[in-house]
Amino acid sequence: MSSARLQTALARYDRLYINGAWVAPEDGGLMESIDPSTGQPWALVAYGGPRDIDRAVAAAREALSGPWGKMPGHERAALMRRFADVYAKHAADLAVLETTDSGRSIREARADIGGHSNGYHWWASLADKASGRTIPFDSSVHAFTTRVPVGVVGAITPWNVPLMAAAWKLGPALAAGCTVVLKPAEQTPVTSLELGKLFEEAGFPPGVINIVPGYGQGGAGERLVTHPDVDKIAFTGEGATAKAILRAGTTADTLKKFTFELGGKSPHIIFADADIEQAMNAATNSAWTLCGQSCALGSRVIVQRSVYDRVVADFVERAKKVRVGQPLDPATHMGPQAHHEQLAKTLAYIEHGRNDGAELVAGGNRLNGGAYGDGYFVEPTVFAKAHNKMRIAQEEIFGPVAALIPFDDEEEAIAIANDTPYGLTAGLWTGDTGRAHRVSSRIDAGMVWVNTYRFIRWSTPYGGFKGSGWGRENGIEALDSYLQTKTTVISTTGRFPDAYAQ
Ligand code: NDP
């Protein structure tokens, strides 16, 4: 197809959502969004440049002193509930769009996105609960605290779960009374723009939420993190990007607040005394879910030696049952990688695994041609005889690659689990309650699951130790990071001594 004809065939998302209006980019432009199941563009999407970010930040600032800023918490809650209901109504369509844009399987997208409205309702229920406290001193003063919004929030999201990453920021930000400029990843901008329509339908005042897709370094993302009028950045992405943001001189100049949700290399420990069948259900799913593109992926499966061979054999059998295919087909378990660079990265790590001496026992190949065409499909992959010092065990791959590492006793399992720069999540399977407590308490991770895995909800605080980030998303802890404490002291006498009288 000629490029002119192709462009007219594409879905058009050629406007940014700024100040409650759909506007053309000022210094951005139009970019193609690729459907990773075909490798072809499917949508033409507006992206913003620095001047567009300036417009969005100005609108967000103004909205803080408009109807939104003056709205009592219970009215904000009601508005958020309306949004949650609108979201629920459109969830099935959102799932189709997110699957098309990111390649995640429709069955996963439906399950995930179908639950987001519950999260927005939960956040709504907190919108009028941020109370301060009275501080006892003496009868000369009445001292008390109030909790006020931090102000304008720049929300920067990655490409693997755009709507979930947005929900984790928008929910607490709106509950706190903040306003937001959302910048989704360049690879998967479509569903974030769809959110603008839902906020319109729910009746949000202009400027409260602004949505500006764009490029990170040198583009909309960089302008947002260095903008002097942005009070907080809520960022999800790679550690290397977070460090680059912190190093950028102008970021430091603005002294804004940051929360960082970064990568992971989560240990998933299987003790011999566990219910192995259940552990395998979790270990295989958590290694391959989202085609491996989850920060909570149980990518290091640490297995007690007496059951190691059984676990390896079971992993191999179960890999054969994974239906890799067109993501919109409800029968498909695993879609493609979300973009070409990620496909190349996954294949490179599979090479590292081979070269470093791990034994490839399942998968390891790109799937293309025939029904896979030029899509970015890859087989569910398993390495046995992996060692924790190998690159496939130390570095985040973000592909469907499990490294199975043997251990002998509890001490060794804990040592291996903690031996990475990351500390996001961890799982362990055991039939011994004492061991569950002993081991979970010694794992350096922001979230530990025992006899389950990847149980993540709006109400359970989520975030990393060590190199996996700063702060928490979800849970009341997340609300705190969108609020600041203001202390007010009122004299009960109105008297103030003259320091210079004598
Ligand atoms: P990146 O760090 O590459 O990008 C994240 C976002 O930051 C994108 O919107 C990107 O824009 C933007 N960005 C890039 N450079 C800059 C910059 N200099 N200034 C401001 N913004 C910038 O991460 P990925 O999108 O590749 O996402 C994958 C990563 O996200 C993985 O490491 C994964 O573990 C992590 N992640 C963590 C989660 C958690 O909750 N802990 C959940 C999901 C993912 P652009 O796309 O244009 O580059």
Side-chain angles (χ1 to χ4, degrees), residues 269-275 279 410 428-439 450-451:
I269 307 171
I270 302 177
F271 285 98
D273 62 12
D275 181 332
E410 214 172 279
L428 68 102
W429 288 82
T430 177
D432 177 338
T433 311
R435 170 174 278 159
H437 283 280
R438 279 195 306 276
V439 177
V450 178
N451 294 342

Side-chain angles (χ1 to χ4, degrees), residues 57-76:
V57 172
R61 174 64 54 196
E62 206 182 315
L64 280 174
S65 48
W68 175 255
K70 298 188 179 88
M71 204 179 279
H74 61 276
E75 285 180 23
R76 228 174 36 239

